[in-house]
């Protein structure tokens, strides 16, 4: 089963928080500037149900965490950029191992897609840059 439209919006908000545009002078592009949802669609097609379940669980925890972590009756996607970072930092400092690690699942997925792009590879100094972007990015 594919991600639902609202889950895709949630995931885009998480990716854009983890990989913001213009965060570094060397790398002006961020997750919002590349086709991350096409990467997710490709990943969803080829991954096991276990990976899809882990991503979905991590997404739901992060998406609903502002209610507990910040005391805000909003989803993660409805927070401002500063509040999103504060929320992720709060999750990262949780005493509960699973709560701390679920956002890292999303970070790993985000970086897997983002760093698969030759433009990103060049800008972050990876040697042996791919000649062509992956099929999902064309």
């Amino acid at each position: 089963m594919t991600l639902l439209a609202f889950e895709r919006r949630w995931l885009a908000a998480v990716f854009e928080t983890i990989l913001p545009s213009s965060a570094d002078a060397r790398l002006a592009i961020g997750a919002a500037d590349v086709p991350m949802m096409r990467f997710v669609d490709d990943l969803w097609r080829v991954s096991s149900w276990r990976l899809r379940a882990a991503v979905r669980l991590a997404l739901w925890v992060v998406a609903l965490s502002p209610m507990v972590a910040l005391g805000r009756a909003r989803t993660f996607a409805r927070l401002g950029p500063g509040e999103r970072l504060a929320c992720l930092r709060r999750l990262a400092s949780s005493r509960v191992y699973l709560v701390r690690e679920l956002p890292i699942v999303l970070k790993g997925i985000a970086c897997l897609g983002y760093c698969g792009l030759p433009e990103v590879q060049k800008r972050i100094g990876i040697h042996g840059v791919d000649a062509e972007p992956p099929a999902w990015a064309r």
Side-chain angles (χ1 to χ4, degrees):
M1 179 179 183
T2 188
L3 288 172
L4 301 171
F6 70 89
E7 290 173 316
R8 292 171 68 81
R9 286 190 302 274
W10 288 354
L11 192 56
V14 172
F15 286 172
E16 290 167 17
T17 303
I18 293 169
L19 298 166
S21 300
S22 301
D24 186 293
R26 296 175 299 157
L27 190 60
I29 62 172
D33 307 308
V34 298
M36 291 297 290
M37 288 302 109
R38 289 199 326 238
F39 164 73
V40 170
D41 292 339
D42 190 55
L43 178 70
W44 228 248
R45 269 192 302 282
V46 299
S47 63
S48 71
W49 69 268
R50 288 183 178 109
L51 177 64
R52 292 190 308 265
V55 170
R56 187 169 256 143
L57 172 65
L59 178 60
W60 275 82
V61 168
V62 171
L64 300 177
S65 67
M67 296 175 202
V68 175
L70 302 177
R72 302 284 315 268
R74 293 179 175 229
T75 62
F76 185 86
R78 295 229 169 200
L79 297 174
E83 291 176 306
R84 287 179 184 175
L85 282 174
C87 190
L88 288 177
R89 285 185 181 119
R90 189 80 186 264
L91 292 172
S93 67
S94 173
R95 291 181 359 197
V96 179
Y97 176 78
L98 185 61
V99 171
R100 275 195 320 269
E101 297 305 312
L102 284 176
I104 292 174
V105 169
L106 299 179
K107 184 177 184 178
I109 296 298
C111 291
L112 185 65
Y114 185 73
C115 292
L117 298 168
E119 180 179 355
V120 172
Q121 293 170 1
K122 281 183 221 170
R123 291 184 182 207
I124 63 175
I126 293 177
H127 299 288
V129 172
D130 295 337
E132 293 286 323
W136 57 264
R138 291 184 207 139

